[in-house]
Amino acid sequence: MFLDASYPSGWKADYVPAVLNKGPFLIGFQQPSHSEEKNAVIHIDMDHPKVSNSEGQSLFLTHGGNSPYLNHISSCLSVIDSGLEIQSDMFKQFLALDLIEPVNIEFELNNGEKRRLSGNYTIHEERLAALTGSELQALSKSGYLQLAFAVVASMTNVRKLINLKNLYLSQ
């Protein structure tokens, strides 16, 4: 539904998630001997169908250095890594405030097919609105308040996705 070869990125949407944008690249870490510090490095899945020695984007410049494409991939991997770093603490804070709730999404497509998406979670909007000033301040200071509101707002996209699926089915 979102994949379309006629689009430059191949992705037919306003936003390409970093986990898709990274393609065959992965985050790895090296720990130099005699050091406690780990350095992030880029790994590539050489068996991925998008990897080629003869066509596509170059990873390095002719006379050395990273290509703009590799710099873009590095940025995508950095976004993913940053998200992984904060998620444990963010979920702890959301759970402590009883903000996380399961959500099942049920809908019927235009062709009569009924769908149920289960195993998903969202932020309980009423509980978020009922937080005290100090709780809101703590979430804001940690940078998680904006993320909580983004999760609530993202639920409005479900109807858009259903409409896209219906459009795809009618083609």
Side-chain angles (χ1 to χ4, degrees):
M1 180 165 69
F2 287 112
L3 296 175
D4 189 329
S6 67
Y7 283 74
S9 69
W11 184 253
K12 182 180 167 182
D14 294 336
Y15 171 77
V16 180
V19 294
L20 293 176
N21 210 352
K22 71 173 185 62
F25 299 94
L26 305 165
I27 303 167
F29 294 92
Q30 286 182 331
Q31 186 171 3
S33 56
H34 311 303
S35 174
E36 296 288 320
E37 192 173 316
K38 291 183 179 178
N39 300 320
V41 294
I42 297 175
H43 289 243
I44 185 168
D45 176 1
M46 295 302 290
D47 295 326
H48 194 281
K50 288 188 173 182
V51 175
S52 170
N53 288 322
S54 59
E55 58 185 310
Q57 298 281 338
S58 295
L59 299 179
F60 303 103
L61 299 173
T62 306
H63 299 290
N66 295 345
S67 71
Y69 176 67
L70 187 57
N71 287 337
H72 170 73
I73 293 301
S74 179
S75 294
C76 289
L77 293 173
S78 180
V79 165
I80 294 167
D81 188 48
S82 296
L84 291 172
E85 285 180 15
I86 69 164
Q87 76 178 3
S88 179
D89 185 55
M90 179 184 71
F91 287 133
K92 279 182 195 171
Q93 287 192 40
F94 287 169
L95 285 168
L97 296 169
D98 196 28
L99 293 177
I100 298 177
E101 72 171 341
V103 61
N104 292 314
I105 302 167
E106 297 179 15
F107 58 94
E108 185 173 339
L109 296 170
N110 289 347
N111 66 2
E113 185 180 338
K114 293 183 181 187
R115 296 279 180 101
R116 178 186 172 122
L117 305 174
S118 45
N120 300 290
Y121 294 85
T122 191
I123 296 293
H124 192 289
E125 190 171 0
E126 291 80 19
R127 288 185 202 138
L128 180 61
L131 292 177
T132 66
S134 60
E135 291 169 330
L136 289 168
Q137 184 178 21
L139 278 180
S140 181
K141 275 185 138 179
S142 61
Y144 305 145
L145 183 59
Q146 184 177 4
L147 295 172
F149 280 112
V151 171
V152 170
S154 74
M155 290 302 292
T156 62
N157 288 319
V158 172
R159 175 51 48 198
K160 292 177 188 174
L161 292 172
I162 294 167
N163 291 341
L164 276 173
K165 179 68 174 177
N166 281 321
L167 182 64
Y168 174 77
L169 289 173
S170 67
Q171 295 177 352

